[in-house]
Amino acid sequence: MKPPPSTVFPVLFCLFIIVFFFSILISADISPGSTLYAANPNQTWNSPNTTFSFGFISSGGGAAFFAAITYNGIPVWIAGASDLGGGASDSSASLQFLADGNLRLVNGSSSTAVVWQSNTAGHGVSSAALHDSGNFVLRNATVSVWSTFDNPTDTILPSQNFTVNKVLRSGLYSFSLLSSGNLTLQWNNTILYWNLGLNLSITNNVSLTSPSLGLQSIGILSVFDPSISNPVIIAYSSDYAEGSDILRFLRLENDGNLRIYSSARGSGTITERWAAVSDQCQVFGYCGNMGICSYNQSNPICGCPSLNFDPVDPNDGRKGCKRKVEIADCPGSATMLELDHAMFLTYAPELASQVFFVGISACRLNCLVSGSCIASTSLADGTGLCYLKVPNFVSGYHSPALPSTSYVKVCGPVIENPTPSVGIAEGKGSGLHAWIVVIVVIGTILGLVVLEGGLWWWFCRNSPKFGGLSAQYALLEYASGAPVQFSYNELHRATKGFKEKLGAGGFGTVYRGVLANRAVVAVKQLEGIEQGEKQFRMEVATISSTHHLNLVRLIGFCSEGRHRLLVYEFMKNGSLDSFLFTTEEQSGKLLNWECRFSVALGTAKGITYLHEECRDCIVHCDIKPENILLDDIYNAKVSDFGLAKLVNPKDHRYRTLASVRGLEGIWHQNGLQICQ
Ligand SMILES: *[C@@H]1O[C@H](CO)[C@@H](O)[C@H](O)[C@H]1NC(C)=O
Ligand SMILES: *[C@@H]1O[C@H](CO)[C@@H](O)[C@H](O)[C@H]1NC(C)=O
Ligand SMILES: *[C@@H]1O[C@H](CO)[C@@H](O)[C@H](O)[C@H]1NC(C)=O
Ligand SMILES: *[C@@H]1O[C@H](CO)[C@@H](O)[C@H](O)[C@H]1NC(C)=O
Ligand SMILES: *[C@@H]1O[C@H](CO)[C@@H](O)[C@H](O)[C@H]1NC(C)=O
Ligand SMILES: *[C@@H]1O[C@H](CO)[C@@H](O)[C@H](O)[C@H]1NC(C)=O
Ligand SMILES: *[C@@H]1O[C@H](CO)[C@@H](O)[C@H](O)[C@H]1NC(C)=O
Ligand SMILES: *[C@@H]1O[C@H](CO)[C@@H](O)[C@H](O)[C@H]1NC(C)=O
């Protein structure tokens, strides 16, 4: 049966309408002659399902305009971003798809002010389209002539194929894929600061033919190659395969780090899901020339090596630092500023003539005497390497975890930064905080000095020797059998960076250390000692010339800059207080009576010797269980003597009895059984 003719026409019409819309959805083509204007930001070229759009975005409150492909306002490609001006134009700009097939961004109306162009004139380009993948393609009748996926700026989208000759750029930083399959990050096309080689056991050692890097939409970054069957996975984003309708993309940020971000549709926000360089301070040049990168609680911050430097831009620590006085302007008075736990990032290619196998002091000296050297780093990581830096670009990194010590050549005198790493990028609130810290520190130091002075006056007011000490002891200064003098760095190394704390006494903190000859020692870092070098040495000489079985022996000392340290023999069983003030539960540590008696006797012998029998009598002033140490066979040894200055024994010997307080604990406990 034939349908009535009146019903055939509407069916055909509906089919025609459907086919018409379908073809519009598929192509959504932009024809030559179309133009977008920065002055009309609502005008855009959209992908068929409007996931991506191509149009003008503005930054800096309308100061600069960029022609960009965006996802919910997040730019994923910017015309001319890799060029010198970064693709910036102003509100008079237009993006023109010309009849000759060229796509160009023009600033103003003049056709000579071309900011960027695709250079596709004369290739038969007949249409352009923005795909739902985010790829903008210029086509001739048969093939794609030019596309944004083939000319990336700083971002790689899922389904984008990043091959060997392509490069992502952001400022001075660039990211590329080598033909070996390695992924690299470089600064200024010269310094390689991140290199990731493929796992050879996965690639079976075959050499790749044409590797390419791709990010799957579920968040897995991999390297593909025709000669390997499975892609080599580089990284999983932390949210991989989670959520729905999330766009993930790989971007080289202007801080030099390569990251995977994810952004839920419609949110307009991005979240970091992976970073190539996990330690941001390892990015070369992050803090600019002569800038030092460190961390506050959470973020990397940029500062200058010392107050001998000014930030180039006080509002932006990343611009680096410059010397207040150039080295050339202070011939003869140049000196080396010491930066502990700091290194200058030195990556290959470093000239062979700038690398030495020498120790820290020689490294410093080599740089000081070399006219071309401006800074040096001793890695102190076991390699024995010392790097000298010539004036080009010096990028610094400070972290308490770094073993290296660096030196920077400055015009003397050295003016240290006020408090440890007050970043110049910090705000007013933390500035106030820093001031409070400074005031508290200065107050504490002044308090200690006054206390010290008071003690000195109290013990020495009647001493005829007061004031005449230097004459009497000058000879002792370098007497034979004098204690060993250590450098601060030696002790720093011996104590592994003052890591293992044994205790904290009135004069400073004590750390465990191991000397080069394997001897175990206790290193006391004196605090609040504001004495001169000479006076300190005299006291050290006196202490070390006082030998007795019941006195802890002084092995050596360090007096360098503001550091004052004493090195004592190590007492295996620690101090007496840990045996006295212990509970029955920890009773493994209680002493038996015999042992208590011998401890008391030994202590008394030590004190008697100190106070009465020794040539240069020393009043201890601080006898307490914490200052009585026990060696491996529970011999009592008195420590901390001599630190409260030398006094005339006749006047003060009885005063110390008051401070024997606490020793009665020896008799007041029901002791158990150690001390053989
Ligand atoms: C764009 O052109 C205007 C003059 O037409 C000029 O003032 C402006 O600096 C230019 N902007 C850029 C980014 O080149
Ligand atoms: C399209 O471009 C390709 C490569 O440039 C060229 O080989 C081809 O002939 C062009 N086709 C037309 C119809 O112009
Ligand atoms: C748009 O197309 C892309 C690619 O085909 C797809 O992943 C996405 O889900 C689509 N978005 C919408 C809203 O349909
Ligand atoms: C990426 O492009 C290269 C060269 O054009 C090609 O050999 C390779 O198969 C492509 N890879 C993917 C995953 O599309
Ligand atoms: C980057 O390298 C070029 C030469 O390759 C050099 O002229 C320029 O000074 C370098 N930039 C910086 C900031 O050092
Ligand atoms: C690739 O990286 C590995 C280390 O990950 C390195 O040994 C190798 O030399 C690199 N290859 C190239 C060509 O840079
Ligand atoms: C390389 O891959 C093998 C096998 O998957 C794995 O056992 C090995 O740990 C990987 N090596 C590295 C350095 O990741
Ligand atoms: C760390 O520095 C950043 C950037 O300078 C700042 O926003 C943040 O508040 C600082 N955090 C702390 C705990 O000081």
Side-chain angles (χ1 to χ4, degrees):
M1 200 178 108
K2 215 173 151 224
S6 60
T7 61
V8 172
F9 179 71
V11 168
L12 281 179
F13 182 75
C14 284
L15 269 177
F16 173 76
I17 296 280
I18 288 170
V19 166
F20 176 77
F21 276 107
F22 197 59
S23 68
I24 282 193
L25 278 180
I26 292 177
S27 62
D29 277 359
I30 300 144
S31 38
S34 305
T35 301
L36 295 177
Y37 295 95
N40 184 2
N42 295 329
Q43 181 195 18
T44 51
W45 294 329
N46 294 331
S47 74
N49 71 13
T50 68
T51 301
F52 291 91
S53 55
F54 198 169
F56 279 94
I57 55 171
S58 64
S59 75
F65 284 80
F66 300 89
I69 298 174
T70 56
Y71 169 85
N72 296 323
I74 301 159
V76 295
W77 185 88
I78 294 176
S82 311
D83 302 344
L84 201 59
S89 54
D90 62 18
S91 59
S92 65
S94 57
L95 182 68
Q96 306 167 345
F97 180 32
L98 300 176
D100 64 6
N102 199 12
L103 180 71
R104 69 179 192 185
L105 174 61
V106 175
N107 181 23
S109 51
S110 153
S111 64
T112 55
V114 175
V115 177
W116 169 87
Q117 58 185 332
S118 65
N119 287 316
T120 45
H123 287 76
V125 171
S126 55
S127 70
L130 178 59
H131 295 175
D132 279 333
S133 60
N135 192 13
F136 183 82
V137 183
L138 300 177
R139 297 177 63 90
N140 66 13
T142 51
V143 295
S144 154
V145 174
W146 184 93
S147 72
T148 54
F149 273 16
D150 284 334
N151 296 273
T153 54
D154 61 0
T155 303
I156 297 175
L157 290 171
S159 86
Q160 184 165 353
N161 186 359
F162 186 77
T163 49
V164 168
N165 294 319
K166 293 171 188 161
V167 60
L168 298 187
R169 284 186 193 284
S170 192
L172 284 171
Y173 298 104
S174 56
F175 167 72
S176 34
L177 171 69
L178 307 185
S179 55
S180 60
N182 285 20
L183 303 174
T184 61
L185 286 172
Q186 284 189 306
W187 177 86
N188 202 17
N189 294 328
T190 47
I191 305 270
L192 178 75
Y193 60 90
W194 184 74
N195 166 50
L196 184 72
L198 300 187
N199 186 338
L200 294 177
S201 66
I202 292 180
T203 59
N204 286 325
N205 277 323
V206 297
S207 51
L208 308 184
T209 50
S210 62
S212 63
L213 179 77
L215 177 67
Q216 294 175 42
S217 59
I218 61 166
I220 302 178
L221 183 68
S222 338
V223 169
F224 302 82
D225 190 81
S227 59
I228 52 176
S229 47
N230 293 320
V232 181
I233 293 173
I234 301 297
Y236 292 89
S237 74
S238 58
D239 67 340
Y240 81 96
E242 283 176 3
S244 59
D245 219 357
I246 291 177
L247 177 78
R248 298 186 179 82
F249 56 89
L250 183 73
R251 180 190 281 171
L252 176 62
E253 287 286 356
N254 67 3
D255 63 9
N257 216 333
L258 181 74
R259 299 193 178 90
I260 296 177
Y261 291 99
S262 61
S263 172
R265 178 185 297 274
S267 70
T269 58
I270 60 175
T271 311
E272 179 185 325
R273 300 298 184 181
W274 173 75
V277 188
S278 51
D279 182 348
Q280 180 62 37
C281 282
Q282 296 273 19
V283 171
F284 190 88
Y286 174 70
C287 284
N289 193 12
M290 295 307 318
I292 308 281
C293 185
S294 59
Y295 288 88
N296 63 11
Q297 267 90 341
S298 46
N299 297 295
I301 50 170
C302 294
C304 292
S306 73
L307 294 183
N308 302 72
F309 291 82
D310 276 330
V312 169
D313 178 351
N315 299 318
D316 183 1
R318 289 201 49 205
K319 294 266 164 62
C321 305
K322 58 177 189 299
R323 285 184 177 76
K324 285 176 178 162
V325 182
E326 289 301 327
I327 303 293
D329 298 337
C330 65
S333 82
T335 178
M336 298 304 274
L337 162 71
E338 178 176 328
L339 302 171
D340 279 331
H341 307 292
M343 69 190 292
F344 292 112
L345 300 183
T346 42
Y347 298 94
E350 194 82 8
L351 294 181
S353 61
Q354 294 162 12
V355 187
F356 296 87
F357 279 100
V358 292
I360 286 180
S361 321
C363 192
R364 170 187 181 276
L365 201 62
N366 277 1
C367 185
L368 185 60
V369 299
S370 154
S372 65
C373 179
I374 53 160
S376 69
T377 292
S378 279
L379 291 186
D381 61 353
T383 58
L385 287 178
C386 155
Y387 286 87
L388 301 189
K389 303 289 289 180
V390 295
N392 42 25
F393 193 97
V394 176
S395 175
Y397 177 15
H398 171 270
S399 157
L402 282 179
S404 22
T405 301
S406 291
Y407 294 91
V408 193
K409 200 181 277 183
V410 294
C411 287
V414 164
I415 315 164
E416 305 266 355
N417 279 335
T419 50
S421 62
V422 176
I424 52 181
E426 280 185 47
K428 282 190 188 109
S430 35
L432 183 70
H433 182 76
W435 270 111
I436 292 173
V437 171
V438 168
I439 288 167
V440 168
V441 167
I442 291 178
T444 314
I445 291 175
L446 280 180
L448 282 173
V449 168
V450 168
L451 188 73
E452 181 91 351
L455 283 174
W456 171 272
W457 175 81
W458 179 254
F459 289 118
C460 303
R461 59 194 165 143
N462 294 325
S463 165
K465 290 183 199 156
F466 185 41
L469 284 177
S470 61
Q472 188 183 349
Y473 294 112
L475 276 178
L476 274 175
E477 191 168 347
Y478 293 109
S480 63
V484 184
Q485 178 171 5
F486 295 92
S487 76
Y488 182 74
N489 281 318
E490 280 174 288
L491 294 183
H492 189 266
R493 228 171 311 152
T495 55
K496 299 206 178 96
F498 300 105
K499 227 164 81 194
E500 203 178 323
K501 195 165 154 181
L502 293 173
F507 300 97
T509 314
V510 185
Y511 301 90
R512 186 177 188 276
V514 181
L515 297 182
N517 64 3
R518 304 259 173 103
V520 183
V521 292
V523 177
K524 176 169 228 136
Q525 199 167 30
L526 298 177
E527 284 157 11
I529 304 274
E530 292 286 298
Q531 283 176 326
E533 170 97 14
K534 205 162 176 180
Q535 219 166 9
F536 178 75
R537 277 170 188 272
M538 279 190 278
E539 265 156 41
V540 165
T542 311
I543 294 171
S544 66
S545 65
T546 310
H547 297 287
H548 191 274
L549 194 65
N550 295 109
L551 295 179
V552 175
R553 196 165 77 83
L554 182 74
I555 294 173
F557 70 102
C558 160
S559 171
E560 202 177 290
R562 66 206 145 79
H563 303 298
R564 299 278 187 275
L565 300 103
L566 296 176
V567 180
Y568 288 104
E569 60 178 328
F570 179 73
M571 291 292 123
K572 193 162 163 236
N573 280 311
S575 57
L576 184 59
D577 60 314
S578 71
F579 292 91
L580 295 183
F581 309 122
T582 179
T583 59
E584 295 288 345
E585 288 79 63
Q586 312 161 300
S587 57
K589 294 197 86 178
L590 285 178
L591 305 173
N592 61 31
W593 286 107
E594 210 173 22
C595 184
R596 288 169 190 218
F597 181 76
S598 95
V599 166
L601 196 63
T603 308
K605 281 181 181 167
I607 299 171
T608 311
Y609 177 76
L610 265 188
H611 289 186
E612 293 178 1
E613 293 168 2
C614 151
R615 188 193 315 230
D616 300 306
C617 289
I618 296 171
V619 171
H620 192 294
C621 299
D622 200 16
I623 300 283
K624 54 184 179 182
E626 284 83 355
N627 283 340
I628 296 167
L629 307 183
L630 301 178
D631 70 9
D632 42 355
I633 53 166
Y634 294 86
N635 274 331
K637 299 202 180 209
V638 176
S639 79
D640 262 12
F641 56 90
L643 299 182
K645 305 285 183 294
L646 304 169
V647 293
N648 184 335
K650 289 196 185 69
D651 297 324
H652 300 284
R653 79 172 80 145
Y654 301 110
R655 195 161 284 141
T656 60
L657 289 179
S659 67
V660 183
R661 195 180 52 79
L663 282 181
E664 64 268 33
I666 291 184
W667 313 110
H668 288 171
Q669 286 191 351
N670 298 316
L672 291 176
Q673 316 306 331
I674 53 173
C675 188
Q676 308 62 17

